[in-house]
Structure formats: structure tokens, C-alpha cells
Amino acid sequence: MTAERRRWVHTEALPALSVVLFGALGLGFYVWQTRPAVAHPVAVPIPAPAPIPAGPLGASIRLGRRLVARTPQLARGYVGGALSCADCHLRDGRQVYAAPFAGLSGAFPAWNRRAGRVITLAERINECFVRSENGRPLPPTGRRMTAFLAYIAWLSRGVPAGDSVVGRGFAPLPRLAHAPNAGAGARVYRTRCASCHGANGAGQPPMIPPLWGAQAYNQGAGMNHVRKMAAFVLRFMPLGQGGSLSPQQAADVAAYVHSHPHPSFPAKYARY
């Protein structure tokens, strides 16, 4: 065996909602690669907006960033709810441990456990559209999909193809004292969440996303998993006060959100 060896690298990709995703972001997949072993993941590069190039490529990158920030408005007809990608992929996909996009261009095609097949990055984006956005797939070669891919490629500059990055996906949820409790979560929600998301979970779109109901993510979204939502809540919620809840409180409030109705996941999109 040479210095190069084959290995499986577990990475995280993002979503959804509530908190949408790519969202839902944060979904596990495995990338098969043949590269020298890397002792530590590389740091996530967070480019500033200024280096976006001029010309047609720059215009596509900028459109991609706007689509992440204002998904229902700019992808009307493909979004079934009121969530934007940036509701989960914070800072327009540039926030570590909020399913950042950096490095994803070099991580696909990749084996997707949920789909049971190798998928492209465009297919992974469409997973979010049919799950976290509760919508329908974007045309794979259309202007919007091209813009998403251009923006992710711009954020991925400097990350070697196939390498993981520090802060990909969501931070692990620490061990809990006991199973998540929706009743306890209701009390946390009333005191720490309802002032923004509303007692009825409807939020204040487009500024604050809905957490349940017809305008939220559907049952196939990544955020429809209690532990995944809890990891996001623990680090970032309430907004601007991340880390102020205990891991148990974050898990309890995620269970409370999970106990409310969400749209069904359409069986016709089971391939995603």
C-alpha cells in the first residue's frame, strides 16, 4: 500500500428548515476518495462578498446568494412553504456548524444513504426543495440551479476536492440526561421562542420562519428529526443567544416542535 490510501470520509451536508435546509440541511453521506490521509479537516473558508467576480459568472453567483436568502420570493413555483435556505444555512450558507456550503462542490457525486444511490450536488439541492422547502425540484440545468451551484462553488474555493471542513453540518448534540420531553419543551418554547416564532409556530415570514403548520418544512426534512433540530437550536437559538439553553432544553423544545403537524412528504419524490 502506497502513501495514498483509500478511505471513506463521513461528511455532513444540510436541512432543513425551521429552519429550512440544505437544511435541512446537515444530512450524512459518504464520499469515496483516493487521497493522502488528512489528519485534520481543513478550516471553512468564509469569503467576503467583495471577491465575487464581475461579468456573467459573478451575476450567477450573486443570484445564487439571493436565492439562498430569499428562496420563496425568487424560486416561486418551486417552494411550497415560507422558508428560505438561509433559515437553516445561516449567513447565506457561510456559518460554521449551520450546514455551511464550503467544500460541497468537491464532495459530489456522492453516495447518499437515504436515496440509496450516488447523487449529484444538484440532486442534493433538489432534496432540500422537495423536503425542507416542501416544494418541487428545480430544473437541473435551469438558471436557478446553475446559480445555486455557482454560489456553492465560489464558497468552496480553497477546499481540496473530497476534503471535509471544520464546522460542516451541525455540531454534535451532547449526551442528554433523559429522553426529549415535549411537555418540558412547551415551557421552554413559551419563555424563549414564542416571542419570535409565535405561540402558534407560524413565525413572521420572511424574517422569522414558521416551525410547524402548512408553511413549514415537511415530514421528510432533516429538521423533522428531534436530535438534528436540537443541535441547531443549542448552538444558535434564540437568535443571538446561542448556547443559552442547555442540551436538554434544546432537545425538549425540539420535541415540542416535532409534536406539532407538518405537511406530509409526497411519495412521488421518494427518489430524493
Side-chain angles (χ1 to χ4, degrees):
M1 181 87 56
T2 64
E4 286 199 338
R5 62 185 181 87
R6 292 180 178 176
R7 61 192 178 96
W8 286 97
V9 177
H10 180 260
T11 59
E12 294 288 328
L14 205 269
L17 280 106
S18 159
V19 15
V20 235
L21 240 297
F22 182 44
L25 357 125
L27 303 176
F29 60 89
Y30 284 92
V31 181
W32 176 255
Q33 59 179 162
T34 304
R35 297 178 49 83
V38 178
H40 301 287
V42 299
V44 175
I46 306 295
I52 295 177
L57 176 59
S60 186
I61 293 169
R62 290 181 178 89
L63 174 59
R65 185 174 184 178
R66 293 197 302 273
L67 280 161
V68 171
R70 301 174 55 212
T71 318
Q73 294 79 22
L74 298 182
R76 188 173 288 116
Y78 297 95
V79 175
L83 293 155
S84 287
C85 301
D87 289 328
C88 289
H89 302 276
L90 302 180
R91 297 183 62 217
D92 302 338
R94 298 183 300 133
Q95 175 63 54
V96 296
Y97 294 117
F101 297 155
L104 293 183
S105 291
F108 287 85
W111 170 258
N112 184 287
R113 187 182 306 165
R114 181 173 61 191
R117 59 191 175 87
V118 173
I119 66 170
T120 65
L121 181 53
E123 288 176 306
R124 181 63 188 85
I125 291 168
N126 271 335
E127 282 188 359
C128 287
F129 268 84
V130 302
R131 293 172 181 272
S132 298
E133 297 287 357
N134 192 35
R136 62 191 184 96
L138 292 173
T141 58
R143 184 174 68 98
R144 293 181 182 89
M145 180 61 78
T146 298
F148 272 114
L149 296 173
Y151 179 56
I152 293 171
W154 176 71
L155 289 177
S156 298
R157 292 170 303 152
V159 180
D163 274 355
S164 184
V165 294
V166 175
R168 179 168 287 172
F170 299 140
L173 184 68
R175 185 181 298 275
L176 302 176
H178 53 77
N181 183 290
R187 295 188 289 274
V188 177
Y189 186 88
R190 283 194 299 269
T191 59
R192 303 301 302 276
C193 311
S195 60
C196 291
H197 291 283
N200 61 356
Q204 303 173 48
M207 299 303 296
I208 301 172
L211 300 184
W212 63 81
Q215 295 299 301
Y217 55 90
N218 69 35
Q219 293 172 4
M223 282 293 177
N224 199 47
H225 297 274
V226 169
R227 291 189 64 89
K228 189 165 291 183
M229 176 178 277
F232 180 90
V233 169
L234 177 63
R235 193 170 185 94
F236 298 110
M237 296 291 136
L239 193 61
Q241 302 174 50
S244 62
L245 299 179
S246 70
Q248 189 64 55
Q249 286 175 315
D252 290 344
V253 78
Y256 175 70
V257 171
H258 185 71
S259 71
H260 289 79
H262 290 84
S264 298
F265 174 62
K268 63 183 178 180
Y269 296 135
R271 69 183 295 269
Y272 289 102

